[in-house]
Amino acid sequence: MRHNLGDVDSFLVAAIAEAELGLAEGGIPIGAVLVHRGVIIGRGHNRRVQQGSAVLHGEMDALERAGRQPARVYRESVMYTTLSPCAMCTGAILLYGIPHVVVGENRTFMGDEDLLRARGVRVDIVQDEHCIRMMTDFIRMRPELWNEDIGV
């Protein structure tokens, strides 16, 4: 399902730039930005490889880099991510009460979108061709790293 997101495209572009940065660093090309009232407050990308981390997926990194915020800030924010959120990132989105998630694509990986929706989170799937191609190419070229990241 493709949604017309209008002016939010620039935020998805910022998430894609984060994903490309992660790939250039030798990591997994997944990026995210946390946006509060139209301003990016946290940018992140998957840093599992770069930092030897078990938890720094793109969304987790964006939350970490946004720093400690009052609860109301999360409840007024939107998470933009290049890939459908996994169980861990879905849990963080729910924990902090982020009400809206924009997903670049969910063809290469389907996360816990149904759980997000069941808990009242608006989830928009863009099916951005650049996001799809970036992950498809990465999975083909680095299947062992991709499988490690998703726990296979």
Side-chain angles (χ1 to χ4, degrees), residues 87-100:
M88 175 178 65
C89 296
T90 292
I93 289 164
L94 293 173
L95 178 68
Y96 289 103
I98 297 168
H100 186 189

Side-chain angles (χ1 to χ4, degrees), residues 7-15 18 31-44 58-59 62-63 65-66 69 71-81 93 97-102:
D7 62 351
V8 301
D9 288 349
S10 65
F11 298 127
L12 184 57
V13 168
E18 284 291 325
V33 296
L34 184 64
V35 177
H36 179 251
R37 295 185 175 183
V39 176
I40 295 173
I41 62 171
R43 296 173 174 267
E59 299 92 332
L63 282 165
R65 291 172 184 278
Q69 299 292 329
R72 69 167 174 73
V73 170
Y74 299 113
R75 290 192 302 264
E76 298 171 346
S77 292
V78 181
M79 178 70 76
Y80 292 80
T81 179
I93 289 164
I98 297 168
H100 186 189
V101 179
V102 177

